[in-house]
Amino acid sequence: MSRSIAFIGLGIMGSPMAANLVKAGHTVTGFNLQQDAIDKLVAAGGKGASSIAEAVADADVVITMVPADPQVEQVILGEGGVLENARAGALVIDMSSITPQTSIKVAAAAKEKGIRTLDAPVSGGEAGAVEAVLSIMVGGEAADFAEAKPLFDVLGTTVIHVGPAGAGQTVKAANQLIVAVNIQVVAEAVVFLENAGVDLQAALDVLAGGLAGSTVLNRKKANMVNREFAPGFRIDLHHKDMGIVTSAARAVEAPLPLGSLVAQLVASARANGDGSLDHSALLRGVERLAGRTVN
């Protein structure tokens, strides 16, 4: 069934996701702060809007995909935002990665206006968004999840309802913890293998086929071998996410001894000017520790 969808936030992730919804036959009206992103959606067969109010006016479903909590609060709760302009009964799906507390706050504010919400953060990076193979973890009412499931299936291959409002963000925080630690240890293995004089590509290929294999290794080994760090997911954003998971873990008294260390290494990468690079550029931090000159 074709749906009328407003898509707010057409960045690295949002742009291909909105395009995939268009390809699936939905009517998608996009809004973004940069006009070129709106133009790209229009070229893909979608529609453009000059404001959030215009984008959401006739939408059954509103999807937001913005960088962090302040942007979610501004776009959904702020003046001229989604809740001011969406029609009663609309379903707002926030696919940003934010704190569980903000998702709960959004859900409560929306409920007062007769608007339903889901928090549905994703994992898979830019490649996952383009290929429509994202993992989507969803918090909210089961009935609303069931209604949104056909849309999620257009965007991803692993789509799971994980609990009430905020639960999606809690699971995403755990995801980001695992990914960051995994990237860091792959980076350490790369420097170890290079220092030992081993054929790096051959070594990573055989490691990927055994118990050491992972989605992170498969997706990020080429970045590390070639030192190509164009952002699929920026270190700046992973730094934000490590703050979320360390705070959330403290709130539930869950220890993160290794995660806390990796959070500091992510912060160090950012402090060394690597924030705009892909998170696979954590390799550069290991190279610095190894005494290499990093350009």
Side-chain angles (χ1 to χ4, degrees):
M1 180 179 71
S2 178
R3 307 295 297 275
S4 174
I5 301 169
F7 206 111
I8 314 299
L10 302 170
I12 287 175
M13 299 292 290
S15 179
M17 291 166 68
N20 284 332
L21 288 166
V22 171
K23 287 178 194 172
H26 299 288
T27 300
V28 182
T29 303
F31 175 73
N32 197 70
L33 294 178
Q34 287 76 38
Q35 182 63 39
D36 59 339
I38 299 174
D39 295 340
K40 186 176 179 181
L41 177 63
V42 172
K47 299 179 179 180
S50 59
S51 66
I52 292 173
E54 181 185 345
V56 308
D58 298 317
D60 305 315
V61 177
V62 178
I63 298 176
T64 53
M65 182 54 129
V66 296
D69 292 63
Q71 290 82 10
V72 168
E73 294 206 23
Q74 179 181 358
V75 162
I76 298 181
L77 304 178
E79 185 178 349
V82 173
L83 295 190
E84 273 192 5
N85 294 284
R87 59 194 187 195
L91 178 60
V92 175
I93 306 172
D94 179 40
M95 305 190 78
S96 317
S97 293
I98 58 172
T99 63
Q101 292 84 353
T102 296
S103 288
I104 293 168
K105 178 180 178 181
V106 165
K111 188 174 183 179
E112 290 181 2
K113 292 181 173 287
I115 294 171
R116 299 165 297 143
T117 62
L118 295 171
D119 51 287
V122 306
S123 178
E126 181 183 14
V130 171
E131 298 162 18
V133 295
L134 292 168
S135 176
I136 307 175
M137 45 225 86
V138 188
E141 295 290 339
D144 296 332
F145 170 75
E147 180 183 328
K149 180 71 160 48
L151 300 180
F152 293 140
D153 287 340
V154 171
L155 304 173
T157 50
T158 303
V159 180
I160 298 178
H161 181 231
V162 295
Q169 299 297 350
T170 299
V171 176
K172 177 59 188 288
N175 180 87
Q176 295 305 82
L177 169 67
I178 293 168
V179 170
V181 172
N182 204 338
I183 290 175
Q184 175 65 28
V185 79
V186 169
E188 292 177 15
V190 165
V191 171
F192 164 57
L193 291 165
E194 288 179 335
N195 278 10
V198 173
D199 182 327
L200 180 61
Q201 185 65 63
L204 294 179
D205 287 345
V206 73
L207 290 171
L211 192 57
S214 66
T215 301
V216 163
L217 180 55
N218 289 337
R219 293 254 180 180
K220 300 301 180 180
K221 62 182 178 178
N223 297 48
M224 294 191 186
V225 170
N226 300 320
R227 268 58 173 186
E228 293 177 353
F229 301 120
F233 189 80
R234 291 182 285 119
I235 282 174
D236 278 339
L237 290 176
H238 216 135
H239 173 70
K240 177 260 297 182
D241 289 343
M242 294 307 285
I244 290 172
V245 70
T246 51
S247 175
R250 186 180 303 114
V252 297
E253 299 183 356
L256 299 180
L258 188 54
S260 298
L261 175 59
V262 174
Q264 292 299 313
L265 293 169
V266 173
S268 174
R270 190 166 176 263
N272 276 284
D274 292 345
S276 63
L277 302 179
D278 186 76
H279 49 182
S280 56
L282 287 178
L283 174 67
R284 290 162 57 88
V286 183
E287 290 185 297
R288 292 184 184 102
L289 290 172
R292 298 183 185 179
T293 301
V294 178
N295 297 317

